[in-house]
Structures are given as structure tokens and as C-alpha cells.
């Protein structure tokens, strides 16, 4: 499942739904990204996507992750629009036969979402708004997976 | 007429998000937008800006048909 939503979501409810009936899977890992308040400096995040293209591009990577880590299933839900501090921005769940695959696939998908998925993020602060671009650390995080492929 | 879409900071630079532009090639479209708005022209050729035609990333020049969707995509950041 890959979905974009303008509405706030409940990560607990998503996990319950995702885990339901998986008696043979063995492992479910999840990640929830939450909008940081930065001690009041960030008033809101604004996330923009390119509807259709964004889902399709995430789908390509998620399908690759499914093969690479031997996933049974995945779920990716990403907020778009205006997001307040403390609200979940992104939810990733992975299901696999064993925990390592579930953890690693979840980690991999988040690294991809941070710096390569078609989203544009604006931080509205008390002193104005600015567009956020991936940090060096985000690029380095994604590169880890290249190394692991080539060795 | 191509349908031009700007995302992220590009729409802030231009002051618009979507426009119809008559142009037979992507290169001509870029030149025309830069001619009208030098700041936007510079932003469109800035580092990390990609172009998608009908939701497929392209590199270099390409012909545009009537109704082609041309999206300019600045560096992406989600999560």
C-alpha cells in the first residue's frame, strides 16, 4: 500500500491494520516520522507532492525493496499539505519472515523517502518560511545501501 | 500547448505553479521561460533540477506534443 493523505493519521491504528491476520509472517517493523517543533521555531511543515508521479516513483523503490529484502508486504503512508508540530508525517511498515529483513527494509525505505522521493518540504518558522533540501547526512544514509549492494 | 508545472521553490521563484506554454521543444520552452523571467530561467537550470515529461524523467532535449505535461522538479526531500 502506498498512499498520500492530506489528513492526520494514527500510526497505532495503521500498525494494527497492517499486522492483522499475518500468522505466517513472523516480523513487522514500522517507522513513524513526526514533525519536530524545534522548540517553537517551526510553526508548521508544508509538504508538496506530484500526484501520480510521487506514488509511482515510491512504488518502484518499494517493489525493489520487496525483492531485495524478501518482504512479504509493505505499507507507506505520507502526509501532504500543512502539518503541525508533533503530527506524524510518514509511516512505513514492512512485513517479513524474519526481523532483520523487516528492520533493514524499513530503514532503506526511509532513507529513500528522505532524499529521493518526489516531495518538497517547506518549513514555516516564526521568522519566515524556507524550503528544506536533503542534508549531507541524508545523502550519506542513502549511500550506505549502494555499498551493501556492491560487496 | 504544453502544460508546465513547477514544484517546490521553483513555484515561489516564478510566482505561478501551472501554465500553458506553446513550444515545440523542451529547449525552446526553457529559453522562452528564461526570456520572460531571468530569475526563473536560472532556477530551472540550477543544480539538481530534473524535468519530467508526462511523468517520466528526461535528460537533454525532447519534442513536446500538444498537451505534454512538463514538470520541473527541484531537489526532493520527504519524510
Amino acid at each position: 500500500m502506498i498512499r498520500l493523505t492530506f489528513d492526520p493519521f494514527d500510526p497505532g491504528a495503521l500498525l494494527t491494520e497492517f499486522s492483522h491476520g499475518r500468522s505466517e509472517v513472523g516480523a513487522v517493523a514500522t517507522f513513524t516520522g513526526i514533525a519536530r517543533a524545534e522548540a517553537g521555531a517551526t510553526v508548521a511543515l508544508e509538504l508538496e507532492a506530484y500526484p501520480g508521479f510521487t506514488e509511482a516513483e515510491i512504488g518502484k523503490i518499494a517493489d525493489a525493496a520487496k525483492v531485495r529484502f524478501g518482504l512479504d508486504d509493505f505499507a507507506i503512508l505520507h502526509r501532504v499539505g500543512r502539518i503541525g508540530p508533533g503530527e506524524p508525517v510518514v509511516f512505513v511498515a514492512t512485513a517479513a519472515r524474519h526481523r532483520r529483513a523487516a528492520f533493514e527494509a524499513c530503514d532503506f525505505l526511509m532513507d529513500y523517502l528522505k532524499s529521493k522521493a518526489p516531495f518538497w518540504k517547506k518549513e514555516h518558522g516564526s521568522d519566515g518560511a524556507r524550503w528544506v533540501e536533503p542534508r549531507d547526512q541524508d545523502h550519506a544514509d542513502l549511500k550506505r545501501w549502494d555499498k551493501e549492494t556492491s560487496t | 500547448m504544453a502544460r508546465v508545472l513547477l514544484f517546490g521553490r521553483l513555484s515561489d521563484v516564478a510566482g505561478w505553479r501551472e501554465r500553458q506554454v506553446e513550444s515545440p521543444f523542451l529547449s525552446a520552452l526553457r529559453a522562452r521561460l528564461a526570456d520572460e523571467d531571468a530569475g526563473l530561467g536560472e532556477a530551472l537550470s540550477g543544480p539538481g533540477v530534473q524535468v519530467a515529461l508526462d511523468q517520466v524523467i528526461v535528460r537533454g532535449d525532447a519534442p513536446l506534443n500538444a498537451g505534454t505535461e512538463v514538470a520541473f522538479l527541484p531537489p526532493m526531500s520527504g519524510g
Side-chain angles (χ1 to χ4, degrees):
Chain A
M1 182 273 276
I2 295 167
R3 203 149 53 88
L4 306 182
T5 176
F6 279 93
D7 302 318
F9 62 83
D10 172 5
L14 291 171
L15 171 59
T16 301
E17 187 190 324
F18 185 75
S19 309
H20 183 74
R22 295 198 188 275
S23 52
E24 293 300 328
V25 162
V28 168
T30 69
F31 175 86
T32 304
I34 295 171
R36 261 192 302 269
E38 305 284 12
T42 303
V43 178
L45 285 182
E46 193 183 328
L47 259 297
E48 186 184 5
Y50 181 4
F53 180 75
T54 297
E55 293 95 322
E57 290 294 303
I58 296 172
K60 286 182 203 165
I61 294 292
D63 288 340
K66 198 170 174 181
V67 173
R68 175 170 176 174
F69 300 98
L71 291 183
D72 188 72
D73 197 8
F74 60 82
I76 298 169
L77 183 68
H78 208 297
R79 284 281 297 280
V80 288
R82 208 174 165 90
I83 302 156
E87 291 181 18
V89 179
V90 59
F91 174 86
V92 174
T94 52
R97 202 158 168 77
H98 297 287
R99 70 182 181 285
R100 188 69 54 214
F103 278 135
E104 287 188 349
C106 195
D107 196 12
F108 169 84
L109 287 170
M110 272 314 302
D111 284 345
Y112 163 77
L113 289 167
K114 285 303 272 191
S115 56
K116 284 271 183 270
F119 291 100
W120 297 276
K121 182 160 56 182
K122 200 178 201 177
E123 252 176 31
H124 293 271
S126 43
D127 56 350
R130 65 177 196 102
W131 289 98
V132 182
E133 294 190 353
R135 303 165 303 148
D136 291 344
Q137 184 63 52
D138 293 324
H139 291 302
D141 286 344
L142 188 61
K143 263 205 140 58
R144 293 183 302 146
W145 302 102
D146 294 349
K147 271 187 231 150
E148 287 179 25
T149 318
S150 59
T151 49
Chain B
M1 294 283 255
R3 183 165 163 248
V4 181
L5 306 177
L6 302 180
F7 288 88
R9 59 180 165 79
L10 298 176
S11 59
D12 280 359
V13 170
W16 52 271
R17 191 172 289 268
E18 180 176 341
R19 252 185 70 185
Q20 304 283 335
V21 180
E22 182 73 62
S23 187
F25 284 94
L26 179 59
S27 55
L29 177 105
R30 282 176 173 282
R32 188 165 158 185
L33 292 175
D35 220 38
E36 289 176 13
D37 181 343
L40 176 61
E42 199 178 317
L44 293 181
S45 53
V49 176
Q50 302 183 84
V51 184
L53 298 185
D54 289 328
Q55 307 207 344
V56 177
I57 299 277
V58 296
R59 284 179 181 78
D61 202 8
L64 304 177
N65 302 315
T68 299
E69 191 173 277
V70 183
F72 289 95
L73 315 170
M76 301 160 177
S77 178

